[in-house]
Each structure stands twice: as structure tokens, then as C-alpha cells.
Amino acid sequence: MNCRSEVLEVTVESRQVEEAMLGLLHTILMHRSTGKFHYKKEGTYSIGTVGTLDFDCDFIDFTFVRVSSEELDRVIRKAVSEFKDALSNSGSDGMGQISLEFYQKKKSRWPFSDECIPWEVWSIKVNVVNLANEQERQICREKVGEKLGEKVINVVEVINRHEYLPKMPTQSEVDNVFDTSLKDVQPYLYKITFQITDTLGTSVSTTMRRLIKDTLAL
Amino acid sequence: MDSDLSPQDKKDLDKFIKFFALKTVQVIVQARLGEKICTRSSSSPTGSDWFNLAIKDIPEVTHEAKKALAGQLPGIGRSMCVEISLKTSEGDSMELETWCLEMNEKCDKDIKVSYTVYNRLSVLLKSLLAITRVTPAYKLSRKQGHDYVILYRIYFGEVQLNGLGEGFQTVRVGVVGTPVGTVTLSCAYRTNLAFMSNRQFERAAPIMGIIVDHFVDPPCGSHRPANMGHPCNYRAPDDEDGGHYAGVQDSQEVCTTSFSTSPPSQLYASRLSYHPPTLAGAADLCHPAANPNQVLHAVREGGVVMVPAYPHGTDTHLTAEQAPNTPGSSGDDDGLLHSDEGRSVSPYDPVESLNAFTRKVGAFVNKPATQLTAASLDLPFAAFAPRGLDPEENDPMVQPPDSPPCPSPLQASLHSQGSEGSGQQDDFVMVDFRPAFSKDDLLPMDLGTFYREFQNPPQLASLSLHISAQSMADDLDSLPEKLAVYEKNIDEFDAFVDMLQ
């Protein structure tokens, strides 16, 4: 099975990085989250309810929908915040990429550790620009809002191709497919990583891997 | 075809499509109410949340949708459409977008109805939630108020896209294959928001179903007179006796929330039994509303709203003037559905307010009020039309008006250029200061005076050259001493840094 890979590219001002990333990551995660599974006898399960809420961006003319889960929002914000800090520390006009990878765990026999097999990777390439005056910033607000809208349409288009999704697991296997640590929603197992390219582009000045969600912390 | 589908599957599929259609309408209409939507996640299934999504059911919307469907289901050649339009306080309307739920002949016979189709419909609803916030009508709907409102109409049958104007765009939300056909959800939206003449709308069929009392007591008939204004008061379902719309109970019908991980032959192991509608337990609408009975409040308080131009279309700017009334006092305008009367309760002269608010070219450039004549305001969508150029004789850039006398400390300032000096008309063009939101009256404009004075503030004493030169020398002399002190306290500084980390 090949991993599906999608790349989205955005150009934003530095203060818009956080909201742009939150918008796209939350949009993807909303589609890749279900309600909590409750397993019953006879191999059946019921699924909880996922609520949604609208979020208005402050620096972009854009509103996105995310899952109503403060826990999930905290995790995503933390990852995006680290990415944003890394981008700003790399100097002005930085470029970077944040990746959201959905994976399945495959149990291996001792002494081998479990394998993480990605089945879908979303890479968001970010190009940060600096703007000279308020008028340009105002135009940028609107343009970035439109661009993000187009990206949401792209995301929806990919997801609605209904390509490979992991099979619904039995109770014993659920942690190999879903992240069951949250109390209100259940996204597929995912991890967020990022890397920064400096403006020279000649070398990757800092490559930082942050495994925000790695349940294999053995 | 149907012969391959078991009776149970067929029944389930019909139910899924029916409730999917109803939920689709709810999502679209709620996205155009002008408010942010918020519903809670629940880890325990309630049995009433179709597709495992917390989407509240507004009873009237469900009623309208069921009326349009009239017992049928979206099928091949029979599409369910939700038309969203904009109606101004002058009575002109413009179709903004049409959402279509269609079915085509392409069947997927191998797909599992109870599991795969259901889950894919759930994903499609999530996509609809996302896409409804992205089309141009969303921003317009968030800013609806006194100048215009957003209306909806549901119809069943053939898709009508004529009202969207030229160059409309289409976005496909998604598709779900089923054994009886492929469900497709898409949206066609207008891109040309330019001025449209009145005559165009006299011929068009009036938009129906715009029930002013959308959020109050259910009507005895299906239509109320359009000029009947009501406070927009959405009562939570708990408050109603639930008996007005049979549809309310209907929508709480059993929804499949049980799935099986067993082999495909065993489709169901259990079903939830029917629960009486515990609508409080259904998706809570957690609006940040001050008054729980005005949950679907749409009027935004105060301020000026500028709607940016949209791509592919016009370079005119849509404006929606907001009256300064608080929501409480103008309750009759709230919400999605609106009275036909031009209830403009703004105390401002419309010419002046348009004059002050509708220009993006510099807040402080004076253009005479005569530019916007009363005649032009009579035209529908006047605010949307491109404005003409100034006649030269009225242009202050060409003939600067006299500046008011302005004693100020500018004279003593290092930077004093006498920029307002009337003697410098050769080099400078006088721009009469009209700060935004200030009144255009005969009294001295304090705000304007303030701006003028503090644009050229006096030089700070510490920054003046001779003083700064002295202090620089002093600083350099004292530098070694300071360094010695810092080195002595180096441990303290290290401890402080560690504390911060």
C-alpha cells in the first residue's frame, strides 16, 4: 500500500503563519476524526458525536471550521507555535514546511519495536514575506483569505476521492489506528513534523523533527 | 440495481439519503445566518445525531425542506437545491449561490450501505461545513444587517442557475457512491456582484419561504405577510411543546450508531431503540449569546462594514452601513429572515454616512457631499456601483479650501514646516482634515486638531543633538564601571536566565 502524499503551498506574512496553519491542519483533522468508539459485546461498537465550531482569524479574512475539542486544539496550537517560532528564528523571509502524517501501527514481535506505516501525508509549504506598509497588509489579508479558501477546496477534493482508509479496527486494535487519548474525539493516529529552510536555500540550516504525537515513546 | 440490495439495505439507504438531505439543508442555512456556529462533541452517542455529527435541527428549516421534498428523495433527475440570495432594504434581491444535492446513475454495487456509505456521507457533511465558510456568500452573510439580509429557498426538481449571472463558478463538495446511484453535492456561486437593475427582478418569481417569524412561534399557515416584522427570537426546542412540527420528532428517529467489526455478513448486531425526543440532549448550540433566546442573532453592533471585492468580478466595493443601534432596539431586523420594509433606523443622513464610510481612498481626503446625490441613492445597489470621478471644480486637490487658524507648538518645533500654512500653497496642497467617524459640523473638530498638533510633535529634549552628544560621551566614560559591576553580579544574571527557561 502506497502512502498518499498531498502538498499545499501558501505565501503569508509572518503574523499570519499561525492562523493559516491552524486553518489547514484543523480542516484536515476534522475530516480525519470520528467520535469516540464505544465497543460493546458481539464485536459491535457505537460512535460518539463530533461537534464543530467556527473560528474567525484575526490576521486573515478567513473563517475555518474545526472540531470542538479543546484538547486537540491545544496539541495543534503547540505544534504550530513551535513551527512559527522556528520560522521566525531562522531569519526574515523564511521558508518552511509543516507535515501532518496519518499512520497505522503494525505490531512487531519482540525485540522489534512497532512499525509506523504512514498512509496519508499532508505537507504544507510556507513562504513568509515581509510587507512594507499597511495597505499591502490589508491586501494580503484578503488575498491570503482567498488562497486559504482555495486550499480548503483542494483538501476537500482529495478527501472526497475516498481513497484508502484504514479498516475499522477491533477493540484490541483500535490504538493501532486511532488516537484514543482524547476524551471527546478520536482522530486517526497522526504526527506533526516540520522543517525550516533558510533564505539562502543552500542548506537546511536547522532541521528539527518534533514528534508531537508519537505513542511509541519507549 | 435494487434487486441486488437487500430490503433492509434499501430501507437504510433511503433513510440515510433522506436525513442527509435534511442535514445538508440545515448546514447550509445555518452557515448563512450570520453567526458563528458552535456545537459540542459528545463521547457518548445520543442516538439522535445523524452521521455522528452535532448539527442542530432548526424546526422551520426542517419543515421547509420536507415540504420541498414532499415525501420524495433526491434521485436521478430530481435534485434538491438550496438557493441563497441577498435582499436589500429597498427590496431588491440578488441570487448569490445555489447548492445542489443530486444523484446520478453511476452505481457502486459492492459498497456496504450501513457502514461505508454512512461514513462517507458523514465525511461529506464535514466537507460541506468547511466549504460553506469559503464561498463569497459567507462573508456577506456574516455582515448582514440593516442594509441587506440573506434569504434561502429550497426547491426540488431541476437545478436553476440562471439567476447567478454570468461567469458563475462551481465548486464540488464531494460525491458518495451508493448501490442506487452516486450522490453529488456541489455549489454554484455568483462572482459578478455588480449593479443589477430593478427590472430584472420584477419579472423573476418572488422568493418563497421567507418567513419573517422564522424564529418565533410557528405560523398557522405556511406563509406570513412579508411586511410583518417580528423580533427574531429563536426559542430553543425545550421551550416549545414540540407539537407544532411533527417533523421535529421525525428527525429524532433512530439513526444508526452501531457498527460491527464482525465479518460483512453480520451487518447489525444491535440497534438503539427509539428515544423520545430529548432535544436538550441533542447537539447543544453553544452560541456566545447574551440572551439564550436570541441565539441566532445576526445584527452586528456598531461600526462600519466593508465587504471586499471578490475575484473574477467586480472592482466595486460592497458596503453595508450599520446603524449604531444596539441589537436590542433593532430586534426586528435580526436573523436570517427579514421584513421587506426598509427599516432603516439610522439617525444619520444617508448621503453623509455614505460619504463618510464608503470610500477607501484615504480617510482624510475631503470629497464634497454633492458627489453622491440623492438621485443616485435611489438606484438599487447604488453602493455597489463604481463611483464617478470628481468634477475638477469641486476637487480640493485642485482648489484647496482655506485652512482654519491653528495655533500650535509647531512654530517652535524643529520640524515645523508650517504644513498647514496658507503661505505654502505653492508647494503643498491643502487637505482639509476629516478624520474618520468625526462629524462634519461647524464646531472645531477636536479630533482633527489633535491629529494636526500631534503629527508634528516637538522634539524630545533627550534626543536633541547637543544633549545627546554629551550623554553619549558620559555613557562611554561610565562604561568600564558598569561592566565591572555586571561582571561582579554575573551569577545573579545567570540565575535569572535559568529561571526564565
Side-chain angles (χ1 to χ4, degrees):
Chain A
M1 178 256 309
N2 290 325
C3 173
R4 192 164 56 237
S5 176
E6 305 294 335
V7 179
L8 305 167
E9 210 159 326
V10 288
T11 300
V12 295
E13 217 196 337
S14 58
R15 64 182 186 167
Q16 296 172 321
V17 168
E18 187 162 1
E19 286 176 340
M21 295 304 102
L22 283 174
L24 294 178
L25 292 174
H26 269 301
T27 299
I28 298 166
L29 275 164
M30 177 178 67
H31 288 87
R32 291 287 181 244
S33 298
T34 73
K36 294 286 289 179
F37 280 16
H38 296 276
Y39 285 91
K40 299 183 258 195
K41 295 177 208 167
E42 301 147 15
T44 63
Y45 60 96
S46 57
I47 307 181
T49 301
V50 172
T52 57
L53 68 90
D54 290 336
F55 183 86
D56 289 339
C57 295
D58 290 325
F59 300 110
I60 314 174
D61 281 349
F62 182 63
T63 299
F64 62 87
V65 185
R66 68 165 174 88
V67 161
S68 284
S69 167
E70 293 313 311
E71 279 180 279
L72 182 64
D73 187 42
R74 266 197 298 272
V75 171
I76 305 303
R77 279 182 183 273
K78 184 165 180 280
V80 167
S81 176
E82 289 180 13
F83 173 63
K84 186 189 79 168
D85 290 341
L87 260 183
S88 47
N89 290 340
S90 74
S92 60
D93 283 2
M95 285 195 298
Q97 176 174 298
I98 188 165
S99 298
L100 172 60
E101 177 187 301
F102 293 101
Y103 65 95
Q104 266 179 271
K105 269 196 285 185
K106 189 175 164 189
K107 294 272 184 218
S108 301
R109 285 197 208 156
W110 184 88
F112 302 107
S113 58
D114 293 344
E115 238 182 301
C116 289
I117 306 172
W119 52 270
E120 187 174 77
V121 178
W122 296 85
S123 301
I124 307 172
K125 290 192 174 156
V126 180
N127 188 23
V128 179
V129 293
N130 284 327
L131 298 175
N133 60 50
E134 201 52 42
Q135 193 184 6
E136 281 184 31
R137 284 197 193 97
Q138 182 61 33
I139 294 170
C140 188
R141 266 187 82 97
E142 295 164 14
K143 289 267 180 260
V144 170
E146 289 163 16
K147 275 292 164 197
L148 288 176
E150 287 170 25
K151 299 303 160 194
V152 165
I153 293 173
N154 292 347
V155 166
V156 158
E157 193 188 353
V158 168
I159 287 179
N160 277 272
R161 286 184 208 148
H162 299 297
E163 290 167 344
Y164 173 80
L165 276 181
K167 212 168 55 165
M168 282 299 148
T170 56
Q171 190 169 11
S172 54
E173 301 272 306
V174 69
D175 289 314
N176 293 343
V177 174
F178 287 102
D179 172 3
T180 52
S181 64
L182 305 173
K183 67 174 192 299
D184 43 14
V185 295
Q186 191 172 286
Y188 282 99
L189 278 174
Y190 69 95
K191 57 175 101 154
I192 299 177
T193 58
F194 60 85
Q195 63 188 50
I196 308 295
T197 317
D198 66 12
T199 48
L200 296 176
T202 51
S203 63
V204 177
S205 58
T206 325
T207 304
M208 292 189 275
R209 277 188 81 81
R210 287 280 184 272
L211 301 180
I212 306 299
K213 206 67 197 167
D214 186 3
T215 53
L216 285 183
L218 293 170
Chain B
M1 308 248 217
D2 288 2
S3 54
D4 292 338
L5 213 55
S6 72
Q8 183 62 47
D9 274 353
K10 179 77 175 75
K11 191 175 153 199
D12 287 340
L13 187 59
D14 286 347
K15 210 191 318 185
F16 292 171
I17 292 176
K18 173 187 165 190
F19 284 102
F20 180 76
L22 296 176
K23 288 294 182 183
T24 294
V25 174
Q26 290 288 349
V27 168
I28 294 167
V29 171
Q30 287 175 27
R32 298 290 175 260
L33 288 175
E35 287 275 317
K36 291 202 293 190
I37 303 294
C38 170
T39 56
R40 286 202 185 97
S41 301
S42 162
S43 63
S44 312
T46 60
S48 57
D49 293 322
W50 275 93
F51 308 104
N52 308 116
L53 279 175
I55 299 170
K56 193 163 179 66
D57 286 322
I58 299 175
E60 281 226 5
V61 175
T62 303
H63 178 73
E64 287 298 320
K66 285 186 171 172
K67 213 167 67 169
L69 286 172
Q72 296 178 78
L73 287 176
I76 297 163
R78 302 191 310 267
S79 307
M80 192 190 72
C81 300
V82 181
E83 183 185 282
I84 301 292
S85 56
L86 176 151
K87 188 160 188 175
T88 66
S89 51
E90 286 119 26
D92 297 298
S93 60
M94 178 164 69
E95 212 175 291
L96 295 177
E97 53 187 20
T98 300
W99 298 83
C100 309
L101 178 60
E102 302 169 284
M103 184 87 103
N104 68 32
E105 294 114 349
K106 189 174 166 192
C107 302
D108 185 346
K109 303 224 181 64
D110 300 324
I111 201 168
K112 291 196 207 64
V113 169
S114 67
Y115 162 70
T116 311
V117 171
Y118 189 83
N119 285 336
R120 288 185 182 180
L121 289 173
S122 176
V123 169
L124 187 52
L125 267 181
K126 289 174 185 167
S127 300
L128 182 64
L129 280 163
I131 299 283
T132 43
R133 275 65 175 169
V134 151
T135 54
Y138 180 71
K139 285 185 196 150
L140 283 172
S141 68
R142 288 292 299 270
K143 294 167 181 173
Q144 63 184 299
H146 275 280
D147 263 9
Y148 66 89
V149 287
I150 304 294
L151 310 175
Y152 75 96
R153 174 171 86 102
I154 308 170
Y155 62 90
F156 193 73
E158 273 202 38
V159 180
Q160 298 154 23
L161 299 177
N162 301 330
L164 293 174
E166 284 179 10
F168 65 85
Q169 297 280 317
T170 309
V171 59
R172 193 166 80 165
V173 182
V175 297
V176 173
T178 76
V180 301
T182 298
V183 173
T184 310
L185 188 53
S186 60
C187 171
Y189 60 91
R190 166 185 287 275
T191 53
N192 181 10
L193 294 162
F195 168 84
M196 298 182 82
S197 76
N198 228 349
R199 288 189 296 272
Q200 206 157 338
F201 297 102
E202 285 166 13
R203 281 198 297 270
I207 295 189
M208 71 73 130
I210 311 314
I211 302 166
V212 172
D213 57 349
H214 182 94
F215 303 119
V216 293
D217 292 341
C220 28
S222 54
H223 292 277
R224 298 282 289 260
N227 61 359
M228 186 179 298
H230 291 272
C232 214
N233 216 338
Y234 176 65
R235 295 189 192 169
D238 300 340
D239 298 339
E240 294 181 46
D241 57 11
H244 290 282
Y245 290 108
V248 170
Q249 299 206 6
D250 199 14
S251 70
Q252 304 307 322
E253 222 179 280
V254 176
C255 70
T256 309
T257 60
S258 244
F259 297 89
S260 173
T261 53
S262 310
S265 56
Q266 187 181 350
L267 293 177
Y268 296 105
S270 68
R271 265 180 181 266
L272 291 178
S273 57
Y274 172 71
H275 294 293
T278 50
L279 298 169
D284 284 337
L285 198 62
C286 49
H287 272 215
N291 182 352
N293 284 335
Q294 292 188 344
V295 168
L296 295 166
H297 208 77
V299 166
R300 304 244 306 218
E301 296 188 35
V304 171
V305 171
M306 296 290 288
V307 178
Y310 288 107
H312 313 294
T314 177
D315 53 1
T316 61
H317 293 285
L318 306 175
T319 61
E321 179 204 4
Q322 297 290 355
N325 296 347
T326 60
S329 62
S330 59
D332 53 334
D333 313 300
D334 299 349
L336 177 70
L337 305 170
H338 223 268
S339 161
D340 257 338
E341 290 178 0
R343 283 177 189 253
S344 176
V345 289
S346 165
Y348 294 122
D349 174 40
V351 173
E352 189 210 5
S353 37
L354 277 172
N355 190 30
F357 295 148
T358 60
R359 287 189 307 282
K360 260 195 167 177
V361 185
F364 308 118
V365 173
N366 182 30
K367 293 203 179 181
T370 51
Q371 185 192 348
L372 288 161
T373 62
S376 69
L377 292 173
D378 286 343
L379 287 175
F381 298 101
F384 301 167
R387 281 170 284 282
L389 298 172
D390 279 338
E392 222 186 46
E393 56 269 20
N394 286 333
D395 194 339
M397 300 296 280
V398 174
Q399 290 173 1
D402 296 334
S403 63
C406 176
S408 75
L410 295 178
Q411 314 299 333
S413 152
L414 283 179
H415 300 288
S416 169
Q417 297 281 336
S419 51
E420 290 112 327
S422 52
Q424 304 232 1
Q425 275 182 357
D426 310 324
D427 301 325
F428 296 94
V429 176
M430 175 58 190
V431 174
D432 193 14
F433 243 54
R434 294 275 183 117
F437 309 111
S438 73
K439 281 202 188 236
D440 182 17
D441 53 23
L442 296 175
L443 295 173
M445 286 182 289
D446 295 328
L447 191 57
T449 315
F450 176 82
Y451 273 129
R452 264 192 289 272
E453 283 186 22
F454 290 95
Q455 258 196 339
N456 288 317
Q459 179 79 315
L460 283 177
S462 57
L463 292 180
S464 61
L465 290 170
H466 60 280
I467 296 173
S468 63
Q470 270 181 1
S471 61
M472 178 76 96
D474 289 340
D475 281 344
L476 283 173
D477 289 338
S478 64
L479 208 50
E481 295 160 19
K482 285 187 184 164
L483 280 174
V485 170
Y486 297 149
E487 273 186 22
K488 215 165 48 163
N489 295 336
I490 201 165
D491 293 328
E492 217 178 288
F493 290 126
D494 283 342
F496 178 68
V497 169
D498 287 336
M499 187 184 72
L500 287 175
Q501 277 177 352

